[in-house]
């Protein structure tokens, strides 16, 4: 998501200095966060384009993107297993989320088994417009402007 948003909002449209996303999946809940560094005059435009881009992702994600993400995750897994702090952190995360330790081989098997349909289904669970909230650091617009995008006051 970060790459797509960065390309669309920062590179193509020039509306933000930086664009990023963060995912914190938890057992029964989680957090997906989108952030952008921008000038006040671009605030609503960036919000509009961000929502549009995020809504397109489940239907426009391609096999090449999935393959690239798989490769990045494999490299991160191999590199992470070389540091004791990464191993300990990963084991703790497994225990917290899954109540068991996941062997690296099992993780790689599951990663390789993921399909585009799996990814699309997951994205639809975390991207539900009616559950979105917004936080603005700096000078916010009037409440009605955000409500027009579906955010509740």
């Amino acid at each position: 998501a970060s790459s797509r948003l960065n390309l669309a909002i920062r590179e193509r449209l020039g509306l933000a200095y930086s664009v990023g996303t963060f995912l914190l999946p938890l057992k029964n809940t989680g957090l997906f966060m989108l952030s952008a560094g921008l000038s006040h005059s671009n605030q609503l435009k960036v919000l509009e384009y961000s929502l549009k881009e995020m809504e397109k992702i489940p239907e426009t994600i391609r096999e090449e993107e999935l393959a690239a993400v798989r490769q990045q995750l494999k490299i991160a897994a191999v590199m992470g297993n070389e540091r004791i702090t990464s191993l300990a952190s990963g084991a703790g995360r497994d225990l917290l989320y899954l109540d068991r330790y996941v062997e690296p081989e099992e993780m790689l098997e599951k990663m390789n088994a993921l399909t585009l349909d799996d990814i699309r289904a997951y994205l639809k669970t975390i991207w539900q417009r009616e559950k979105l909230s917004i936080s603005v650091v700096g000078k916010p617009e009037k409440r009605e402007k955000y409500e027009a995008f579906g955010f509740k006051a």
Side-chain angles (χ1 to χ4, degrees):
S2 286
S3 295
R4 284 179 176 223
L5 289 168
N6 203 29
L7 281 172
I9 294 166
R10 183 174 181 258
E11 301 297 328
R12 195 167 10 106
L13 300 170
L15 295 174
Y17 309 110
S18 65
V19 178
T21 60
F22 173 77
L23 178 65
L24 177 63
L26 299 172
K27 220 172 203 175
N28 296 316
T29 187
L31 171 70
F32 175 82
M33 184 177 79
L34 185 148
S35 64
L38 47 89
S39 67
H40 179 263
S41 61
N42 290 334
Q43 189 183 137
L44 296 175
K45 288 180 206 160
V46 168
L47 180 57
E48 177 184 359
Y49 284 110
S50 297
L51 292 170
K52 284 180 183 176
E53 286 297 317
M54 290 303 299
E55 287 169 349
K56 287 194 292 188
I57 289 175
E59 302 312 319
T60 60
I61 192 168
R62 299 179 322 270
E63 189 63 47
E64 302 83 46
E65 291 172 302
L66 180 56
V69 168
R70 271 194 193 114
Q71 190 61 32
Q72 287 175 333
L73 290 173
K74 287 177 189 177
I75 291 168
V78 170
M79 298 300 283
N81 285 339
E82 293 180 358
R83 295 195 340 244
I84 191 69
T85 54
S86 295
L87 282 170
S89 177
R93 188 175 47 249
D94 290 348
L95 290 170
L96 181 65
Y97 296 154
L98 307 171
D99 295 323
R100 68 183 184 87
Y101 173 68
V102 177
E103 294 288 340
E105 295 79 20
E106 179 186 353
M107 182 188 67
L108 289 173
E109 280 177 28
K110 289 185 177 199
M111 203 180 338
N112 286 328
L114 279 175
T115 66
L116 284 177
D117 287 337
D118 296 331
I119 302 295
R120 287 179 181 123
Y122 178 71
L123 289 173
K124 287 178 182 176
T125 66
I126 65 167
W127 187 259
Q128 298 175 29
R129 192 131 182 207
E130 66 277 1
K131 292 185 178 181
L132 297 180
S133 60
I134 188 168
S135 176
V136 176
V137 177
K139 184 181 174 188
E141 295 287 347
K142 294 198 181 294
R143 187 176 301 235
E144 298 80 32
K145 302 258 184 174
Y146 303 111
E147 289 172 348
F149 289 100
F151 295 103
K152 294 184 172 86

